[in-house]
Each structure stands twice: as C-alpha cells, then as structure tokens.
Amino acid sequence: MASKFIFVTGGVSSSLGKGIAASSLGCLLESRGLSVALQKMDPYINIDPGTMSPYQHGEVYVTYDGAETDLDLGNYERFTSSKVSRINSVTTGQIYLSVIERERRGEYMGRTVQVIPHITNEIKSRILKVAKASQADIIIVEIGGTVGDIESIPFLEAIRQFSHDIGKENTLYIHLTLIPYISVADEQKTKPTQHSVKELRAIGIQPDILLCRTEKEMSNDMKEKLALFCDVEKEAVIQALDIHTTIYEVPIQYSKEGLDDIVVDKLGLKKNKRNLKRWESIVEKVNSPKHHVQIAVIGKYIDLQDAYKSLYEAIHHGAIANDSSVQIKRIHSEKLTPESLNGQLEDIDGIIIPGGFGERGIPGKILSCQYGREHKIPSFGVCLGMHCMVVEFARNVSGLKDAHSTEFQEDTPHPVISLLEEQKVIQDIGGTMRLGESETTLNSESLSYKAYKTHIIHERHRHRYEFANSYKEKLCSKGLKIAGVYKERDLVEIIEIPDHPWYVGVQFHPEFQSKPIAVHPLFKSFIQAALSYQSSKTQA
Ligand code: GLN
C-alpha cells in the first residue's frame, strides 16, 4: 500500500505540544495495527540544533545514525515503535544548503532558482524520502513554529502542493490550537483559533481536523461554533484537555475523543480495533505507585524545562518499571559548594550527573560524584557525568592531584579525560563530534551486564572527549572497573566501582533509547538501586 500523509501544524501559540500530539497520534495509529513514520520540519536556518545552546533549543536528540535533531524526535521514538534517522529531521538550513549546492553544480540548467518551485520541491522530496525509506502506512509530518510565522511559509506552501500532487484522499491536515480560558470572565474563547485557521486558509490549507488544547471541557456549542466558522465537521473538532498525570496518557485521551476513528475514516484506512493496553497499564502504574524515590539531577541547565528532556523521561520510565513514583530534585551544579552539599543531597536516594559542555558548574558536579561515592548513594554519570566521575576518582582515590579533563584544563598534569584522537584535527563545530550508535562489549562481572543481561549493546554518542587509556592501569589498580568497551577502537564506554552498591558512568547517552513501554535497563536498575538504598536508610 502506498503511504498516506498527515500534516500537523500549530496555531495561536507556541509550546502547545505539537510533538506530543504528533507522537500520540502515531501511537494511536500503531495501536490499530498501522505502521507509522514521523518527520519534523523546523523552519530555522541552522542545519541542525547541534550548534545551538540549550537556552535556545532545549535538548539535542541524537538518532542512531548520528544526526543531532530536535527533541520532538525523542517523543516520536518514545511513543511509537518507529525509528528516526537523519532524514526524519529537516530544517530550512538543510533545504537551502542542498538547493544552493545544486545551483553551484549547475544542475538548474540556467534557470532562476526560486522559493517556488525549487525550495518547495526540495521540501516535498524530503517528505517522499521518508515514505520511501520507511514504507510506512502513514507518514506524520510535523511543521515546526506557529502558523503566521514568516519562516514557515515555504513549508506550508510545500505541504499544500503535496496534497495536490498525490491526491486529497491521501493527505490530511491537523491543526493544533489553543482555546484560552479567561478567568475573570469565566469564558473560553474560540476567536484565536478562528483567526489561526483563517491564516492557514489564506495559504490555501483547509484543516480537516482541529485539535484544541484547553484547560476546561469544551461545550457542544463551542465545538459547533468552531466547526461552522472553520469549516470542519463537528466530529473533527477534537478537544485536547490538559493532562496532569503523565504525557503518556495523551494517546488514551485522544482515543476517547475519537481522533483515530476520524483519521482512519478520512484516509480510508483499515478499521482494525485499537489496542492500547500497554499504554493503559503505564497510566495505571503512574496513578497508583507503591514506592516513591527522590533523584537528584546535578546540572547547569536545571532551570530549563527541556534541556535534559530525554533524561527526565528515562528517569520516569525507570520509576514506572519499579512501581514507583519519582520526584526529580534539580540541583544547580554551579551553586553547589562543599558546605551546601550535605543539605542538598542528604535525603536523596540517587544522584545523576548528566551530559554537558563547558566548564561552568564542573566543580559542583565533581563534588557530587565524591559525595555519591563516599556515602554509597546510587550514582549515575552520563557522558560528561562519567568524565566527572573519572576525574574525581583519579584525584581522591588514585591520588592523582589536579587530575582533570583537558576539556577544562589543557595543561593538567593528569589528563585522565582527553580529546578523542580523531577530534584533534577538527575545526568546524557543527556535526563533528563522535555521534550516533556504536557497539559496546560488556564485562560479564559488571553491574551493567547484570542490568542489560547481554554482552553486546548498542548505544548513542555525542562527545569529543574520552577516558584516557594511559590511565587505565593506575585507576583500575585502585578499584575502578572498566565495565564496557568499544573493542574495535579500544575506547572505554562504561566505568563502575564494584565496592559500591551502584556507581556507574557511561560515555554514551542511554536516555535516548528509553521508552515507557521498553524502559532502558540501566535506568530500571538505577531506580531499583535507589529504592534499595532508601530502604537500607530507613532500616538503619
Ligand atoms: N563535553 C564532553 C565532550 O565533549 C561531554 C559531552 C556530553 O556530555 N554529551 O566529550
């Protein structure tokens, strides 16, 4: 069967959760036995978000093939079984770059190169590429930004043409909007949605379905009014009520509103019964946990909602898998001092030191590693977090005074973490780190092996610095264990301290491969260790 295409646009305001909406729809369609692929079109000019600060963009999500992408791609993988790759993430920068390169090669045969048709054709070809590669029944394409933005106009024009090219019966437009509630008047307002749809129609796109984010239940009258003014069927006005339990309830909520029924109907797809049992059981577990843990995340971007998005999600997955709820205590690494450490960490059941770049906050992270190690609190270091663990161990256990990572001190007497060989010649910063999936072989006598229950694992990377093998012997003789290596290139991938209940540092980013219905083994094991630590404290 040829693929069908669903385009998700956003109106009225940003941050309405288009990514979660698109992912939840994907989840719902999969629950009806259909295969899906998801793609994000971001209207900014950067080639990818890899060069952007977390303050600008939130987390950079890494695909298995090493693309640095928008964090919504993480949602696509968490909510569905589809695997995203380089081609699932498109930006204006990428589109223009390829058109301009083609122009330089003379491939436009003397013609004037223009937004229409050259840019729009390039956008359409990227959508078709995903359809071809995935062979999925349905391709869901999310257009970043808000309708009305100047930047997104070529994308909207391209998706308008797309329906013309492949037939209206094969495409569907879903517009996600906001129904604001004015508390002083105690009224919900449809006007912003009407305006947003008007804007969309001015570009030539008539939405088939309105997905309305709302704080309060929408009345029948409101749905009728929206249907009339926006020219959609009343059944196609879907309310998306705010959810306060877990985002993993969104697919269930949409199913109750009949979103998948309408989509299946409108696209003439097979009407298999939906089966959301696995997702329902996730929500049940979230609603009635047997335990509760407190996990500290020591980072410098903790005031941002999205900077450690996948990590926070993976912690929740780990908790769900242990029938537990979790409170994540976000601790600012820059503000941690030897004096404040105890007060901040004493009632914590587990510590995570996440990935990151740059020197700010490093001393606080190193202090937390020491605290976790000495107090035998389950501690998990991810990428930069693993680097901090190694530095701390070298300084305080192996007696290598002033040991450091050359990322922060080039002339350290003991460069226990140093630049990867291949990185020494690199000049451009965009897309040049060690990126994507590679193989790690686990030591059978390790905690990691116990968690993964297999010797060979594949995990995703995004870094320039690594464990310096020249210090392996010195550190291992003092009790550090190399629990996993990338054999082909002799790179250390996992360190552990066997004389500790759970002290694991990983060079990769396990959080990118955790899903609520397929929790990552390390996060499951870490939360389990946190719960044991907690009960050992109460027994003491
Ligand atoms: N800054 C470190 C490096 O480049 C760690 C990167 C990370 O945590 N993702 O190696």
Side-chain angles (χ1 to χ4, degrees), residues 31 252 274-284 517:
S31 82
I252 297 166
R274 76 168 86 89
N275 179 353
L276 280 171
K277 278 202 186 91
R278 289 196 296 174
W279 295 88
E280 282 157 1
S281 88
I282 296 290
V283 175
E284 257 166 52
I517 56 172

Side-chain angles (χ1 to χ4, degrees), residues 28 42 114 168 277 279 328 349 367 395 460 496:
L28 258 182
D42 271 309
Q114 292 176 303
K168 288 200 177 349
K277 278 202 186 91
W279 295 88
I328 299 176
D349 306 313
L367 275 175
R395 288 181 187 175
R460 302 180 194 174
E496 294 181 7

Side-chain angles (χ1 to χ4, degrees), residues 42 44 90 111 115 208 280 324 379 398 400 406 466 474-475 488 517-518 530:
D42 271 309
Y44 52 71
V90 176
R111 279 193 291 271
V115 173
D208 298 289
E280 282 157 1
S324 178
S379 303
S398 299
L400 301 173
T406 56
E466 61 163 335
K474 262 207 172 80
L475 301 185
E488 212 177 287
I517 56 172

